[in-house]
Amino acid sequence: MKRTITFGLTFILILLHCFIQAQQAKIDSLQTVLKTSKEDTSKVNTLNILSKQYMAAGNYEQALQFGKQAALQAEKLNYKKGMTDAYSNIGINYWYQGNYEKSLDYGLKALKTAEEIGYKKGIANSYNNIGIVYFYQGNYQKALDNYLKSLLILEETADKKGIAYCSANIGVIYASQGNYEKALDNYFKALKINEELGNKHGIAVSYNNIGEIYVKKNNFEKSLENHFKALKLYEETGDKQGTASSYINIGNIYYEQGDYKRELANYLKSLNIYEKIGDKRAVGATSSNVGIAYIKLGKLENAFYYLNQSLIISKELGYKDGIKEAFNDLSELYEAKSDYKQAYSYHKLYSDIKDTLLNEQSSKQIAEMNTKYDSEKKDKELIKKDAEISKQQAETEKQNLQRNAFIIGFLLVLILAFFIFRGYRQKQNANKLLEEKNILIENQKQLVEEKNIKITDSINYAKRIQQAILPSQELIKYCFPDSFIFFRPKDIVSGDFYWFSEKGDKLIFAVADCTGHGVPGAFMSMIGNTLLNEIVNVKNILEPSKILNELNKGIVNLLN
């Protein structure tokens, strides 16, 4: 059953408060100022403030429009600070719309522009934005790296408010990785700073985050206590999005306790707020929660209305993950109605879009591995060639040295008395030449070692890609409680892989040994994994013999 990700909603609040620094004039006042503004930097600043105000109100289309106008005007004036703020606003809006690729692109543009002028606040904010995108893509390590870079700059500039929110973001990463103690350390750090500053918004965010950790620890009493503290602060400060997110968090706790009436009541309060402020994405997610709650209460017609509303909004926004979950929710609804034909139909739609998303990701991973493999081959060839050249040079230098020594010795024997000083000088020159050649050899040796390091790094990256496609051990453990996985590649990457899928009442498991080992074997394992996904999950072929025949055909076709 789909649940709203409360960490994600808390993250939205962190983001908003990180970039909306102080209360600005109301939107209508700013519009009046804009009409009389000259084509200068003040107009750029006004456009950027309007973009932030519309973002805070949940009107992302208008926010994006004003952000792009600000960027265009700032570029004409070569106003780098205005460009940085505009790129940041555009990136945040694309993030809200689920377009992570464009969001990351504008985050990097903002970072580059800020670094050009040494705009430290802009640099810190850009690292924070980039970290958020990586977090939502599931790349927690890159997200953490960017947050730590942001935190370092914030500490240098003694920006306490920024430090508090950045610490909260770092806490979210640790919470997502299951390291609840480190998450709590960072959340309490953020809470302490916000209390010192009297920052009610920040205090509320910290209470929400701490409450989520206590949920993970099954301490519902402490969790509710913290969420109600957050709710009170949000209501006092008039923060509607914060209030809405608190109702969702409280509803989720009642869900965990099986109190579905209270759960529904809190979700409906949250939905009402999101509808008033026009935050479509939040309306879609919360409608899904409301629908699921109605299913639990046996009110299936009410459930259909809200689940269908969630599907319509997700389609309007082009939000594929939302569409996928809506199909899954509707399948559950029709199953509760005993309408198994419709339940199967929606589950089929859910499986198709899930496989489409999986195949898109898998194709991208294969392309990345192919690029790394080609790069690795070229590096190896270059290192081999450099080694041969170095060997030839060393041999030539050795022969030359021996020849010169013989000539010098012969001349010394013939005219030892007359040319003794001259011979001494020649010997000095020879030694100097030898020293230079030795330095050259040492430099080339160092170059070869650097190339080897790059190759190893490349293969290690390929290993990370390969591990990413392997089935979740938690899922396998859930289906086979007494099982374990023993997976030890011969090299850094493996020519072996395992694969798992759950289809209806069938659990399908495969262990495969591919031709070759190392990078070629790993490349074949990617192909095998992708073909098994297509055969079982897309074509619904479940008999082992037929699966193997289809796999054989697929390999023959792919490799011509």
Side-chain angles (χ1 to χ4, degrees):
M1 182 173 68
K2 175 185 155 189
R3 308 302 306 158
T4 299
I5 303 173
T6 50
F7 280 129
L9 290 170
T10 304
F11 224 82
I12 293 170
L13 294 171
I14 292 170
L15 183 68
L16 279 171
H17 292 111
C18 229
F19 291 98
I20 300 169
Q21 299 157 3
Q23 291 295 327
Q24 303 292 337
K26 291 184 179 179
I27 289 174
D28 53 352
S29 299
L30 288 168
Q31 291 279 19
T32 303
V33 172
L34 186 64
K35 289 176 183 177
T36 58
S37 294
K38 296 179 180 179
E39 300 290 319
D40 57 12
T41 57
S42 62
K43 183 173 182 178
V44 175
N45 294 335
T46 302
L47 288 166
N48 275 325
I49 294 169
L50 270 168
S51 179
K52 290 176 183 177
Q53 287 294 319
Y54 275 115
M55 197 191 316
N59 190 336
Y60 306 125
E61 291 180 8
Q62 284 284 358
L64 186 59
Q65 179 184 338
F66 281 110
K68 288 183 175 180
Q69 287 180 30
L72 187 62
Q73 182 69 18
E75 286 165 355
K76 285 181 182 178
L77 299 169
N78 197 30
Y79 176 33
K80 294 290 180 73
K81 183 178 181 296
M83 288 162 62
T84 300
D85 293 340
Y87 294 151
S88 291
N89 290 338
I90 294 168
I92 295 166
N93 276 286
Y94 277 126
W95 173 82
Y96 272 120
Q97 294 174 11
N99 192 334
Y100 300 139
E101 185 178 349
K102 282 191 175 181
S103 180
L104 183 59
D105 182 44
Y106 275 97
L108 291 169
K109 285 174 75 174
L111 176 61
K112 181 181 177 183
T113 311
E115 286 178 334
E116 287 173 2
I117 59 172
Y119 178 25
K120 288 195 173 182
K121 191 166 193 175
I123 296 170
N125 286 347
S126 297
Y127 277 131
N128 187 71
N129 282 357
I130 293 166
I132 288 168
V133 177
Y134 280 128
F135 172 81
Y136 274 86
Q137 289 179 326
N139 193 335
Y140 298 141
Q141 189 54 53
K142 277 198 173 183
L144 184 59
D145 290 344
N146 279 275
Y147 289 146
L148 291 173
K149 288 176 183 177
S150 178
L151 181 62
L152 184 64
I153 296 168
L154 292 166
E155 287 175 338
E156 285 177 6
T157 56
D159 184 346
K160 285 194 172 183
K161 189 173 181 181
I163 292 169
Y165 283 115
C166 199
S167 298
N169 284 356
I170 292 168
V172 171
I173 296 293
Y174 285 125
S176 301
Q177 293 174 330
N179 192 337
Y180 302 134
E181 295 311 314
K182 276 195 174 182
L184 276 176
D185 288 344
N186 280 276
Y187 290 155
F188 279 119
K189 176 183 175 182
L191 177 61
K192 183 179 178 182
I193 295 172
N194 283 314
E195 286 176 338
E196 289 173 1
L197 296 172
N199 178 10
K200 289 188 176 182
H201 286 295
I203 295 169
V205 170
S206 297
Y207 282 141
N208 256 337
N209 288 337
I210 293 166
E212 285 308 299
I213 297 299
Y214 284 126
V215 169
K216 299 294 181 182
K217 290 185 163 191
N218 293 321
N219 191 335
F220 301 127
E221 184 178 346
K222 274 197 174 182
S223 180
L224 275 174
E225 178 185 334
N226 279 277
H227 284 311
F228 275 119
K229 285 180 181 178
L231 176 61
K232 183 179 178 182
L233 284 169
Y234 284 134
E235 289 177 336
E236 284 177 6
T237 56
D239 185 337
K240 292 184 178 180
Q241 285 180 312
T243 302
S245 73
S246 289
Y247 281 131
I248 287 176
N249 293 338
I250 292 166
N252 286 344
I253 297 168
Y254 285 130
Y255 162 76
E256 296 290 343
Q257 294 178 317
D259 191 341
Y260 302 124
K261 287 185 178 179
R262 285 188 178 180
E263 174 199 15
L264 177 62
N266 280 277
Y267 287 160
L268 288 171
K269 287 178 183 178
S270 175
L271 180 60
N272 183 46
I273 294 170
Y274 282 132
E275 286 175 339
K276 284 181 180 177
I277 63 178
D279 189 337
K280 280 193 173 182
R281 186 172 176 183
V283 169
T286 311
S287 294
S288 173
N289 278 10
V290 171
I292 293 296
Y294 272 124
I295 292 176
K296 288 290 183 184
L297 292 169
K299 298 182 179 181
L300 303 184
E301 294 307 317
N302 291 1
F304 175 78
Y305 171 79
Y306 286 101
L307 295 180
N308 193 51
Q309 177 173 275
S310 177
L311 176 60
I312 291 169
I313 292 171
S314 295
K315 285 182 175 179
E316 284 177 3
L317 296 175
Y319 182 39
K320 288 185 179 180
D321 282 323
I323 296 169
K324 179 190 73 174
E325 295 302 334
F327 284 148
N328 190 46
D329 294 342
L330 286 165
S331 174
E332 184 178 336
L333 169 66
Y334 280 108
E335 184 179 352
K337 283 181 156 185
S338 300
D339 188 343
Y340 299 112
K341 183 178 180 180
Q342 281 282 50
Y344 172 77
S345 176
Y346 276 109
H347 189 75
K348 182 70 169 57
L349 290 170
Y350 163 76
S351 297
D352 288 345
I353 193 169
K354 181 180 178 183
D355 291 337
T356 299
L357 292 170
L358 180 64
N359 288 335
E360 285 174 358
Q361 184 181 14
S362 181
S363 298
K364 185 177 179 182
Q365 289 170 341
I366 290 173
E368 287 177 355
M369 180 170 277
N370 192 31
T371 302
K372 291 292 177 185
Y373 178 64
D374 290 341
S375 174
E376 180 186 323
K377 279 182 65 180
K378 289 177 183 177
D379 287 344
K380 283 183 177 178
E381 290 169 1
L382 182 59
I383 290 170
K384 186 178 178 182
K385 188 175 180 181
D386 287 344
E388 289 174 356
I389 292 170
S390 299
K391 186 178 178 182
Q392 289 174 358
Q393 287 178 339
E395 188 65 33
T396 301
E397 289 160 6
K398 184 179 178 182
Q399 290 173 359
N400 289 338
L401 183 61
Q402 289 174 344
R403 183 190 65 195
N404 292 338
F406 174 78
I407 293 171
I408 292 168
F410 181 73
L411 290 172
L412 284 171
V413 170
L414 291 177
I415 49 175
L416 181 61
F418 184 77
F419 292 107
I420 190 166
F421 179 72
R422 193 182 202 180
Y424 175 72
R425 291 293 300 272
Q426 286 178 336
K427 188 176 181 181
Q428 276 189 324
N429 291 336
N431 288 335
K432 185 178 180 181
L433 178 63
L434 178 61
E435 185 180 352
E436 290 174 353
K437 299 299 182 183
N438 285 338
I439 292 171
L440 178 61
I441 292 170
E442 185 62 29
N443 289 339
Q444 289 177 340
K445 178 186 175 185
Q446 186 176 355
L447 178 62
V448 170
E449 289 174 351
E450 288 173 357
K451 296 286 185 183
N452 283 334
I453 290 170
K454 288 181 180 178
I455 290 172
T456 303
D457 288 344
S458 178
I459 295 174
N460 282 327
Y461 184 77
K463 174 186 176 184
R464 288 169 61 194
I465 295 172
Q466 184 182 44
Q467 288 177 337
I469 71 163
L470 292 174
S472 163
Q473 292 196 24
E474 288 75 10
L475 177 60
I476 295 172
K477 194 76 177 175
Y478 176 78
C479 296
F480 300 101
D482 296 328
S483 68
F484 66 92
I485 299 295
F486 181 79
F487 182 64
R488 180 181 293 172
K490 177 177 178 294
D491 299 310
I492 295 174
V493 291
S494 177
D496 304 328
F497 72 97
Y498 57 93
W499 177 92
F500 176 73
S501 180
E502 185 177 3
K503 300 292 287 184
D505 60 347
K506 288 183 170 61
L507 304 175
I508 304 173
F509 197 96
V511 178
D513 180 5
C514 298
T515 302
H517 57 82
V519 173
F523 188 80
M524 292 300 294
S525 74
M526 294 290 290
I527 294 173
N529 188 287
T530 302
L531 286 172
L532 284 170
N533 281 328
E534 181 182 352
I535 293 164
V536 176
N537 295 328
V538 178
K539 294 182 178 180
N540 280 319
I541 296 174
L542 305 181
E543 295 179 32
S545 60
K546 291 183 180 179
I547 292 172
L548 290 171
N549 283 332
E550 287 294 314
L551 183 60
N552 184 48
K553 290 178 187 177
I555 294 289
V556 171
N557 290 335
L558 278 173
L559 300 181
N560 296 321

